[in-house]
Amino acid sequence: ALYRQLEARLHARSEVLRTGLARRAPLSVGGEGATRRIFFPHDEAPAASSGRRVKFNIVTPGYFDLLGVRLLRGRDFGEQDDQGSARVALVSETAARRYWPQGDALGSQVRMGDEQTPVEIVGVVADVAQTRVHEKAEPYLYFPFAQMYWGEMTVLIETRGDPQGLAAVLRQELGGLDPDA
């Protein structure tokens, strides 16, 4: 609720064009990125016994558009992708090629770790440099924030004018919602 309220407050400001949230912004400091154990339907033993470790991010609807990341197939996350709906994910182009070499990732289902609830792949997005500008593309999965809560999110803002001036505004808006944040 805090993040939704913060985004609403920021959208109400004339200097803010768009916002988005991400567990980890591309090219940010903070390591190589977390992984999840993913089970693919076509995995053969012994890979299926332990799954594959795949890097992931948690993002809000519009994140890809905000960053200019092309949606190659399928759809982006939407407000309909919430706790009450079927679980969904998007995959990077490299993930689609590596894990679905004989077909299309769209409509496929994967399982995460020990969870039994399947996650349907609803879109494929272009690869994004995650850690370094000239890195080799790696498989990446993206999950909607409304379905996979994460306590620390990065606020991404596209502004009119000087973005440095918005830092104080962001602190003010966040402090107005939660003085301990």
Side-chain angles (χ1 to χ4, degrees):
L2 174 77
Y3 288 120
R4 287 182 193 265
Q5 292 171 357
L6 178 60
E7 279 195 296
R9 284 185 175 207
L10 291 171
H11 281 282
R13 302 195 63 94
S14 62
E15 63 266 48
V16 174
L17 295 172
R18 294 186 286 186
T19 65
L21 299 172
R23 182 190 65 80
R24 183 172 185 269
L27 305 177
S28 62
V29 178
E32 296 291 317
T35 63
R36 292 290 310 251
R37 193 166 40 119
I38 306 293
F39 294 90
F40 296 89
H42 55 276
D43 280 343
E44 298 176 17
S49 65
S50 60
R52 300 167 192 250
R53 301 300 299 187
V54 181
K55 292 183 179 182
F56 74 98
N57 204 351
I58 299 168
V59 302
T60 54
Y63 165 85
F64 300 104
D65 188 45
L66 174 67
L67 293 181
V69 177
R70 290 177 300 127
L71 177 67
L72 303 175
R73 292 187 299 285
R75 68 170 179 87
D76 193 353
F77 298 131
E79 295 304 322
Q80 76 277 9
D81 298 315
D82 60 17
Q83 285 291 336
S85 64
R87 305 229 8 227
V88 295
L90 277 76
V91 296
S92 67
E93 186 175 13
T94 295
R97 274 196 314 270
R98 182 171 299 169
Y99 300 129
W100 289 274
Q102 302 302 320
D104 195 357
L106 287 181
S108 295
Q109 293 186 338
V110 298
R111 280 189 313 107
M112 294 186 301
D114 297 331
E115 298 176 24
Q116 295 303 312
T117 304
V119 177
E120 181 180 353
I121 306 304
V122 295
V124 178
V125 294
D127 291 325
V128 175
Q130 298 292 339
T131 307
R132 292 173 298 284
V133 174
H134 300 293
E135 71 189 6
K136 181 181 175 192
E138 292 186 68
Y140 235 84
L141 271 74
Y142 298 91
F143 301 101
F145 178 64
Q147 291 185 349
M148 186 183 285
Y149 172 76
W150 198 266
E152 280 185 30
M153 297 293 284
T154 298
V155 179
L156 304 164
I157 304 170
E158 181 181 0
T159 68
R160 288 184 180 88
D162 179 22
Q164 292 294 333
L166 202 57
V169 170
L170 179 58
R171 284 198 267 316
Q172 175 188 357
E173 294 292 351
L174 186 55
L177 290 170
D178 183 351
D180 295 327

